[in-house]
Amino acid sequence: MFKTYYIKPTSISTQLMLVVVLLCFGFNLKAQSLSELKTIAAENNLQLKAQFKAFEAQLEGVTQAKSWQDPNLSFGYFISPIETRVGPQIAKFSLTQMLPWFGTFKAKGDIAAYKAEAEFEKFQDQKLKLYLNVAEKYYDLSALRYIAELEAKQLQILKDLKSIVKSNYENNKANLVDILRVELQIDKQLSVIQVLKDQDQALATQLNQLMNRQLKTPVLISNPKQILDQKEVMQTDSVSKNHPRLEAIRHLKESNKAESVLAKKQAMPQFGLGLDYAIIQDRNVMNAGAGQDAIMPMLSVSLPIFGKKNKSRKREASLQGESIQFQLENEKTRLETEIQVAQYKQDELYSLLDLYEKQLLNLQDILQLSEVALANASMEIEEVLRLEEERLLYEKQQAKTLANLQKLNETLIYLTSNSEL
């Protein structure tokens, strides 16, 4: 007696629509995994390259710190020659080399080396943050493309609903306004798909920027739903003892210890070795050594008698050490806090996922009944549209929640990484 219509979300027309959406999004022919994208970013990212060059520049300071001071060479010419027993002295050359206290060079070298290692740990941390940024953009893009698939399916469902309403209208079981309502929803759906296309291009551009490649390079993600459904939970109890953020501060702490040693060395005398060469003019002085130039070795010693300056250096190194220790303790607390917050968010998102799954199961049963009722003209199209929109909303929220879970997992990987990665 009554015609019954069933909405098929996986019809051939729907599949064709998905293909069109994928082509419109400009995908490449070859999909790249997240690990491959991370590798590309690590090799090409400009900010990471800049950080590594900063480390290499800091490393050059080790050679400079261990280098000897330049010797001093001086020349003096006597306008009025000084008469000596063997003749008048007309000019003098002096060469002096200062020698610091024993162990000073080693202390300076240690300071520079530890600072260079701290800079390297900053590079390691920058690399881990880059991996995290790439992963976040990757999962955002995966969620966006899965949502684009959902929107394309929704468009096909609306077209099927339009067919049902149109059939009811031809049988005087529906009004023309019902057809117009569905057409309005179809136009809205087409606009949503276009907006998603623009957002896709923006996210792909950001991802390409992180990898330092052409901004319009297509980014292919095969099976976004499967990527989002990977529910590998990152379990951790505490912060990694070798996290780069902690290691960088520890190296600064070691550098400070070397500065304390240097402060003690600088309170000791410095030695100077020198050589004076005096030019004596030969004026036929009746002397066996007449006109013979004079050579005089010299030894000098600095006198560190201003104790206030030396005490200030030691006090400065001690205060810096206390400051670095506070920084280390604070960084440990920050990392632990960030881990706990991420874990709380994980639990919250899993609760939301359970809710969405239950709601979607209930809505699926209701929609099957409502579709039959609509075909039999016993339900208004507004209610069916509302239910379809509610189902789509839950599916999109589910996709976004899955993406947020993946990003939280990557965040925990970053927070628990060590400097050896």
Side-chain angles (χ1 to χ4, degrees):
M1 181 177 179
F2 297 102
K3 287 186 178 179
T4 303
Y5 294 83
Y6 295 95
I7 299 175
K8 299 179 181 179
T10 58
S11 62
I12 295 177
S13 58
T14 301
Q15 295 175 6
L16 291 174
M17 176 61 69
L18 292 177
V19 171
V20 171
V21 170
L22 293 178
L23 291 176
C24 290
F25 279 52
F27 292 154
N28 198 357
L29 295 176
K30 183 178 181 301
Q32 290 177 311
S33 65
L34 177 58
S35 60
E36 289 175 329
L37 296 179
K38 286 181 178 179
T39 301
I40 294 173
E43 292 174 350
N44 301 313
N45 183 265
L46 295 178
Q47 188 174 3
L48 192 62
K49 287 183 177 181
Q51 185 65 45
F52 188 75
K53 290 301 178 181
F55 155 68
E56 290 184 321
Q58 189 73 43
L59 197 61
E60 292 297 322
V62 179
T63 303
Q64 299 174 32
K66 291 185 175 182
S67 299
W68 289 63
Q69 296 181 18
D70 294 330
N72 293 323
L73 176 64
S74 59
F75 170 75
Y77 180 80
F78 297 98
I79 298 176
S80 298
I82 299 176
E83 294 292 339
T84 66
R85 183 176 59 84
V86 293
Q89 182 179 350
I90 60 175
K92 184 176 72 171
F93 290 92
S94 295
L95 181 65
T96 306
Q97 175 67 60
M98 296 301 297
L99 304 174
W101 189 260
F102 306 103
T104 300
F105 283 155
K106 182 180 183 305
K108 287 183 176 181
D110 289 344
I111 293 172
Y114 285 125
K115 286 184 177 179
E117 290 179 4
E119 200 68 32
F120 180 75
E121 295 300 335
K122 291 180 182 179
F123 163 76
Q124 292 286 75
D125 183 58
Q126 189 71 35
K127 182 173 68 174
L128 292 174
K129 285 180 179 178
L130 176 62
Y131 287 165
L132 176 59
N133 289 337
V134 170
E136 289 177 341
K137 293 292 184 293
Y138 179 80
Y139 288 120
D140 284 340
L141 195 56
S142 298
L144 184 68
R145 291 182 176 174
Y146 176 57
I147 290 173
E149 294 178 9
L150 295 175
E151 296 287 2
K153 291 179 182 179
Q154 181 74 359
L155 179 61
Q156 184 58 45
I157 290 173
L158 290 174
K159 289 181 178 180
D160 292 341
L161 287 175
K162 181 181 176 182
S163 299
I164 296 175
V165 174
K166 190 174 181 180
S167 178
N168 287 343
Y169 173 72
E170 293 173 352
N171 294 323
N172 295 321
K173 296 177 182 179
N175 298 321
L176 180 61
V177 69
D178 294 332
I179 299 177
L180 296 177
R181 283 194 181 98
V182 180
E183 288 179 346
L184 284 174
Q185 286 298 114
I186 290 175
D187 291 340
K188 177 183 175 183
Q189 202 64 27
L190 290 171
S191 176
V192 168
I193 291 175
Q194 180 60 42
V195 170
L196 288 175
K197 176 184 175 183
D198 296 336
Q199 292 177 351
D200 182 280
Q201 292 174 349
L203 275 176
T205 297
Q206 293 174 359
L207 192 54
N208 284 322
Q209 184 271 327
L210 291 174
M211 294 182 286
N212 189 32
R213 63 185 188 182
Q214 291 294 326
L215 298 181
K216 293 185 179 181
T217 303
V219 179
L220 175 60
I221 298 177
S222 59
N223 201 344
K225 181 66 165 64
Q226 183 179 359
I227 292 172
L228 295 176
D229 278 336
Q230 297 171 355
K231 296 182 180 179
E232 181 182 353
V233 182
M234 179 70 187
Q235 298 290 349
T236 181
D237 297 327
S238 60
V239 179
S240 171
K241 294 181 180 179
N242 297 325
H243 195 280
R245 281 160 58 176
L246 300 179
E247 287 296 293
I249 299 176
R250 290 194 183 103
H251 288 311
L252 290 178
K253 188 175 180 180
E254 294 299 321
S255 175
N256 174 258
K257 290 180 180 178
E259 287 178 352
S260 298
V261 173
L262 180 62
K264 295 178 182 177
K265 300 294 182 183
Q266 289 177 331
M268 304 301 289
Q270 293 189 48
F271 301 97
L273 296 178
L275 187 68
D276 273 8
Y277 182 82
I279 301 176
I280 308 298
Q281 188 177 16
D282 184 5
R283 288 189 178 177
N284 297 322
V285 178
M286 299 303 295
N287 191 305
Q292 184 176 355
D293 296 339
I295 299 176
M296 180 178 66
M298 293 188 302
L299 174 66
S300 60
V301 179
S302 65
L303 301 177
I305 59 176
F306 300 107
K308 188 180 246 186
K309 175 180 64 178
N310 297 326
K311 289 180 181 178
S312 178
R313 287 173 179 164
K314 296 177 183 178
R315 179 65 177 164
E316 179 186 6
S318 176
L319 291 173
Q320 286 179 346
E322 294 176 11
S323 173
I324 293 173
Q325 181 61 35
F326 288 139
Q327 291 178 38
L328 181 60
E329 294 174 2
N330 178 65
E331 198 63 37
K332 286 181 182 177
T333 305
R334 282 183 59 193
L335 286 170
E336 291 173 356
T337 302
E338 290 174 19
I339 288 175
Q340 291 185 14
V341 169
Q343 290 174 335
Y344 293 148
K345 288 182 178 179
Q346 264 189 340
D347 295 338
E348 180 183 350
L349 291 177
Y350 275 116
S351 299
L352 284 175
L353 274 183
D354 292 338
L355 173 63
Y356 294 148
E357 289 176 2
K358 292 177 182 177
Q359 295 288 2
L360 284 170
L361 286 174
N362 293 333
L363 275 172
Q364 193 65 32
D365 295 336
I366 295 172
L367 279 169
Q368 288 180 357
L369 297 174
S370 65
E371 290 163 11
V372 176
L374 178 66
N376 295 332
S378 59
M379 177 177 280
E380 297 293 333
I381 186 62
E382 296 96 320
E383 182 63 19
V384 178
L385 290 175
R386 186 190 66 80
L387 290 172
E388 290 288 355
E389 189 172 356
E390 186 176 357
R391 177 194 54 78
L392 178 61
L393 177 62
Y394 280 125
E395 287 180 338
K396 292 195 293 185
Q397 290 297 333
Q398 186 183 50
K400 292 177 182 178
T401 302
L402 287 170
N404 288 334
L405 272 174
Q406 297 293 351
K407 291 193 290 184
L408 276 177
N409 198 58
E410 292 289 333
T411 300
L412 286 171
I413 291 174
Y414 160 71
L415 293 173
T416 56
S417 296
N418 59 63
S419 60
E420 297 177 358
L421 295 178

